[in-house]
Amino acid sequence: MSTDYAIFLNGGFGVGKSSALEHAGDLLAEAGRPFSLMDVDWFHRSWPPAEQDNALIEAQNIAAVWKGYRSVGPRQLVMCGVISTTAARERYEAAVEQPVRMVRLTADADVTRKRLRGRYTASQRSALEWHLERCDEIAARLEAADLDELVIDTSRIEPHAVAARTLRHFGLSD
């Protein structure tokens, strides 16, 4: 099994990255392929920020966790998050010490907004508003960056199908 690159599910808010990540893990497990999953959002969630957007501490945290995962043997790393610049991709590649191959997930604006509204409770209104205000700009920035080798529109397909298509693209499933 090739583990010489990380798969990165890239995309804006509400396109289904985290859901597809979970299903990718399920499919890899069913196929008996060793893997590790990382939702990079959980590696920079602290306040106050150590530096701009906690990007450097995020990379340090990812590197430490990946070192632990690798200590138990070869495995396919599958990550999800937002990468909109070459510098950001290079930061992730340095953290995991291997190339990062990216698949961008997209969704129609109405679908994205519906998913975001379903994600947050009434007590999280400010978080919902923050994401709604930025979702179009992030989607446009990712499209303009054009860093991804595959683009999957998730508007009308389930996360399991997104994960299966991603793994097929990398030759990791039938």
Side-chain angles (χ1 to χ4, degrees):
M1 178 177 132
S2 176
T3 58
D4 59 345
Y5 60 89
I7 298 169
F8 197 97
L9 300 174
N10 194 24
F13 310 131
V15 298
K17 300 179 303 289
S18 297
S19 296
L21 180 73
E22 289 292 327
H23 284 275
D26 293 344
L27 291 169
L28 290 167
E30 287 172 15
R33 293 182 174 273
F35 68 91
S36 295
L37 304 179
M38 288 189 199
D39 186 328
V40 302
D41 283 349
W42 289 103
F43 292 88
H44 63 251
R45 301 246 355 216
S46 67
W47 192 90
E51 31 65 40
Q52 178 67 32
D53 297 326
N54 278 335
L56 298 178
I57 195 71
E58 174 191 70
Q60 291 172 5
N61 292 340
I62 288 169
V65 170
W66 180 233
K67 181 180 179 182
Y69 282 150
R70 286 178 43 189
S71 73
V72 295
R75 52 198 52 248
Q76 178 65 61
L77 177 58
V78 185
M79 308 168 78
C80 74
V82 179
I83 296 178
S84 62
T85 65
T86 301
R89 181 176 60 202
E90 290 169 352
R91 187 175 60 248
Y92 286 110
E93 288 176 335
V96 299
E97 300 177 330
Q98 58 187 349
V100 171
R101 296 178 63 187
M102 297 167 29
V103 174
R104 183 165 38 95
L105 306 185
T106 65
D108 296 337
D110 290 340
V111 170
T112 298
R113 283 173 172 69
K114 180 179 179 182
R115 289 176 182 169
L116 288 171
R117 286 186 182 99
R119 179 186 301 172
Y120 296 100
T121 65
S123 66
Q124 297 173 307
R125 183 152 183 80
S126 63
L128 170 61
E129 289 173 2
W130 187 91
H131 285 87
L132 289 172
E133 289 170 6
R134 289 163 180 79
C135 62
D136 292 336
E137 184 272 327
I138 297 253
R141 190 170 6 132
L142 292 170
E143 184 175 359
D146 194 28
L147 298 171
D148 312 281
E149 63 184 78
L150 175 66
V151 177
I152 301 173
D153 184 341
T154 68
S155 300
R156 290 167 191 79
I157 60 176
E158 295 296 319
H160 184 271
V162 173
R165 184 168 173 198
T166 298
L167 295 178
R168 272 194 312 275
H169 173 77
F170 292 103
L172 299 172
S173 72
D174 300 328

Short mmCIF file of all heavy atoms in Angstrom, two decimals, residues 8-9 19 22 24 26 35 44 50 54 56 63 65 99-101 104 106 108 122 124 138 143 153 162:
data_model
loop_
_atom_site.label_atom_id
_atom_site.label_comp_id
_atom_site.label_asym_id
_atom_site.label_seq_id
_atom_site.Cartn_x
_atom_site.Cartn_y
_atom_site.Cartn_z
N PHE A 8 -5.92 15.20 0.92
CA PHE A 8 -6.50 16.34 1.62
C PHE A 8 -7.84 16.70 0.98
O PHE A 8 -7.88 17.07 -0.19
CB PHE A 8 -5.57 17.55 1.56
CG PHE A 8 -5.88 18.61 2.57
CD1 PHE A 8 -5.20 18.68 3.77
CD2 PHE A 8 -6.86 19.55 2.31
CE1 PHE A 8 -5.48 19.66 4.70
CE2 PHE A 8 -7.16 20.54 3.23
CZ PHE A 8 -6.47 20.59 4.44
N LEU A 9 -8.92 16.55 1.74
CA LEU A 9 -10.25 16.96 1.29
C LEU A 9 -10.35 18.46 1.57
O LEU A 9 -10.45 18.88 2.72
CB LEU A 9 -11.34 16.19 2.03
CG LEU A 9 -11.30 14.67 1.86
CD1 LEU A 9 -12.33 14.00 2.76
CD2 LEU A 9 -11.50 14.29 0.41
N SER A 19 -17.76 15.09 6.87
CA SER A 19 -18.59 13.89 6.64
C SER A 19 -17.90 12.93 5.69
O SER A 19 -17.86 11.71 5.93
CB SER A 19 -19.96 14.28 6.09
OG SER A 19 -20.66 15.04 7.04
N GLU A 22 -15.01 11.05 7.43
CA GLU A 22 -15.47 9.91 8.24
C GLU A 22 -15.77 8.70 7.37
O GLU A 22 -15.40 7.57 7.70
CB GLU A 22 -16.71 10.30 9.06
CG GLU A 22 -16.41 11.25 10.18
CD GLU A 22 -15.58 10.61 11.29
OE1 GLU A 22 -15.72 9.39 11.55
OE2 GLU A 22 -14.77 11.35 11.88
N ALA A 24 -14.54 8.09 4.38
CA ALA A 24 -13.28 7.58 3.82
C ALA A 24 -12.64 6.62 4.81
O ALA A 24 -12.14 5.55 4.43
CB ALA A 24 -12.34 8.73 3.48
N ASP A 26 -14.19 4.82 7.08
CA ASP A 26 -14.99 3.59 7.09
C ASP A 26 -14.64 2.70 5.90
O ASP A 26 -14.47 1.48 6.05
CB ASP A 26 -16.49 3.93 7.04
CG ASP A 26 -16.99 4.62 8.30
OD1 ASP A 26 -16.29 4.60 9.33
OD2 ASP A 26 -18.09 5.22 8.22
N PHE A 35 -5.00 3.42 8.03
CA PHE A 35 -5.19 4.84 7.74
C PHE A 35 -5.18 5.64 9.03
O PHE A 35 -5.29 5.10 10.12
CB PHE A 35 -6.53 5.06 7.02
CG PHE A 35 -7.72 4.78 7.90
CD1 PHE A 35 -8.31 5.80 8.65
CD2 PHE A 35 -8.25 3.50 7.99
CE1 PHE A 35 -9.37 5.52 9.48
CE2 PHE A 35 -9.32 3.22 8.82
CZ PHE A 35 -9.89 4.24 9.56
N HIS A 44 -6.10 23.80 15.51
CA HIS A 44 -5.83 25.22 15.73
C HIS A 44 -6.88 25.90 16.60
O HIS A 44 -6.85 27.10 16.78
CB HIS A 44 -5.69 25.97 14.38
CG HIS A 44 -6.93 25.97 13.56
ND1 HIS A 44 -7.03 25.24 12.40
CD2 HIS A 44 -8.13 26.59 13.70
CE1 HIS A 44 -8.22 25.42 11.87
NE2 HIS A 44 -8.91 26.22 12.64
N ALA A 50 -1.99 31.93 19.13
CA ALA A 50 -0.55 32.03 19.37
C ALA A 50 0.09 32.96 18.34
O ALA A 50 1.05 33.66 18.63
CB ALA A 50 0.10 30.65 19.30
N ASN A 54 -3.38 30.89 14.20
CA ASN A 54 -2.80 29.69 14.82
C ASN A 54 -2.22 28.73 13.79
O ASN A 54 -2.14 27.53 14.03
CB ASN A 54 -3.83 28.97 15.68
CG ASN A 54 -3.96 29.56 17.07
OD1 ASN A 54 -3.04 30.19 17.58
ND2 ASN A 54 -5.09 29.36 17.68
N LEU A 56 0.87 28.25 12.64
CA LEU A 56 2.11 27.56 13.00
C LEU A 56 1.88 26.53 14.11
O LEU A 56 2.42 25.42 14.05
CB LEU A 56 3.18 28.57 13.41
CG LEU A 56 3.58 29.56 12.31
CD1 LEU A 56 4.62 30.55 12.82
CD2 LEU A 56 4.08 28.83 11.08
N ALA A 63 2.00 17.74 13.10
CA ALA A 63 3.26 16.98 13.03
C ALA A 63 3.37 16.01 14.19
O ALA A 63 3.78 14.85 14.02
CB ALA A 63 4.44 17.94 12.97
N VAL A 65 0.95 14.68 16.10
CA VAL A 65 -0.03 13.60 16.02
C VAL A 65 0.34 12.62 14.90
O VAL A 65 0.27 11.40 15.08
CB VAL A 65 -1.46 14.16 15.82
CG1 VAL A 65 -2.45 13.07 15.49
CG2 VAL A 65 -1.88 14.91 17.08
N PRO A 99 4.14 14.67 0.33
CA PRO A 99 3.28 15.50 -0.52
C PRO A 99 1.82 15.43 -0.08
O PRO A 99 1.37 14.41 0.44
CB PRO A 99 3.44 14.89 -1.92
CG PRO A 99 4.70 14.09 -1.86
CD PRO A 99 4.84 13.63 -0.44
N VAL A 100 1.11 16.52 -0.30
CA VAL A 100 -0.31 16.59 -0.03
C VAL A 100 -1.03 16.69 -1.36
O VAL A 100 -0.80 17.62 -2.13
CB VAL A 100 -0.65 17.80 0.87
CG1 VAL A 100 -2.15 18.01 0.98
CG2 VAL A 100 -0.03 17.62 2.26
N ARG A 101 -1.86 15.70 -1.65
CA ARG A 101 -2.65 15.67 -2.89
C ARG A 101 -4.08 16.05 -2.52
O ARG A 101 -4.69 15.44 -1.64
CB ARG A 101 -2.56 14.30 -3.52
CG ARG A 101 -1.12 13.97 -3.94
CD ARG A 101 -0.98 12.60 -4.53
NE ARG A 101 -1.77 12.46 -5.75
CZ ARG A 101 -1.92 11.30 -6.40
NH1 ARG A 101 -1.35 10.19 -5.93
NH2 ARG A 101 -2.65 11.25 -7.51
N ARG A 104 -10.85 18.97 -4.05
CA ARG A 104 -11.72 20.06 -3.59
C ARG A 104 -13.18 19.64 -3.70
O ARG A 104 -13.65 19.21 -4.74
CB ARG A 104 -11.49 21.34 -4.38
CG ARG A 104 -12.33 22.50 -3.86
CD ARG A 104 -11.87 23.86 -4.37
NE ARG A 104 -11.43 23.84 -5.73
CZ ARG A 104 -12.19 24.16 -6.79
NH1 ARG A 104 -13.45 24.52 -6.62
NH2 ARG A 104 -11.69 24.13 -8.00
N THR A 106 -17.05 20.90 -3.49
CA THR A 106 -17.85 22.10 -3.70
C THR A 106 -19.31 21.76 -3.48
O THR A 106 -19.69 20.58 -3.44
CB THR A 106 -17.68 22.65 -5.13
OG1 THR A 106 -18.21 21.70 -6.06
CG2 THR A 106 -16.21 22.93 -5.46
N ASP A 108 -23.45 23.80 -4.23
CA ASP A 108 -24.22 24.99 -4.58
C ASP A 108 -24.35 25.87 -3.35
O ASP A 108 -24.46 25.37 -2.22
CB ASP A 108 -25.61 24.61 -5.07
CG ASP A 108 -25.60 23.81 -6.37
OD1 ASP A 108 -24.60 23.90 -7.12
OD2 ASP A 108 -26.58 23.09 -6.62
N ALA A 122 -29.34 27.49 18.13
CA ALA A 122 -29.68 28.90 18.37
C ALA A 122 -28.60 29.60 19.20
O ALA A 122 -28.32 30.77 18.99
CB ALA A 122 -31.04 29.00 19.05
N GLN A 124 -25.54 29.21 19.01
CA GLN A 124 -24.35 29.39 18.19
C GLN A 124 -24.59 30.34 17.02
O GLN A 124 -23.92 30.29 16.01
CB GLN A 124 -23.88 28.03 17.65
CG GLN A 124 -23.47 27.06 18.72
CD GLN A 124 -23.19 25.69 18.15
OE1 GLN A 124 -24.04 25.12 17.45
NE2 GLN A 124 -22.02 25.15 18.43
N ILE A 138 -14.71 32.29 0.49
CA ILE A 138 -13.79 31.14 0.60
C ILE A 138 -13.92 30.24 -0.63
O ILE A 138 -12.93 29.81 -1.19
CB ILE A 138 -14.08 30.32 1.87
CG1 ILE A 138 -13.83 31.18 3.08
CG2 ILE A 138 -13.29 29.02 1.89
CD1 ILE A 138 -12.63 30.91 3.88
N GLU A 143 -11.54 28.21 -5.65
CA GLU A 143 -11.66 27.98 -7.10
C GLU A 143 -10.56 28.72 -7.85
O GLU A 143 -9.93 28.17 -8.76
CB GLU A 143 -13.03 28.44 -7.59
CG GLU A 143 -13.24 28.15 -9.05
CD GLU A 143 -14.64 28.48 -9.54
OE1 GLU A 143 -15.49 28.94 -8.74
OE2 GLU A 143 -14.88 28.28 -10.74
N ASP A 153 -18.46 17.93 -6.86
CA ASP A 153 -19.62 18.71 -6.42
C ASP A 153 -20.46 17.80 -5.53
O ASP A 153 -20.98 16.77 -5.96
CB ASP A 153 -20.44 19.18 -7.62
CG ASP A 153 -21.60 20.07 -7.24
OD1 ASP A 153 -22.04 20.06 -6.06
OD2 ASP A 153 -22.10 20.78 -8.13
N VAL A 162 -19.01 10.51 -2.02
CA VAL A 162 -17.88 11.43 -2.16
C VAL A 162 -16.59 10.72 -1.74
O VAL A 162 -15.57 10.78 -2.43
CB VAL A 162 -18.09 12.71 -1.31
CG1 VAL A 162 -16.85 13.58 -1.32
CG2 VAL A 162 -19.31 13.47 -1.81
#
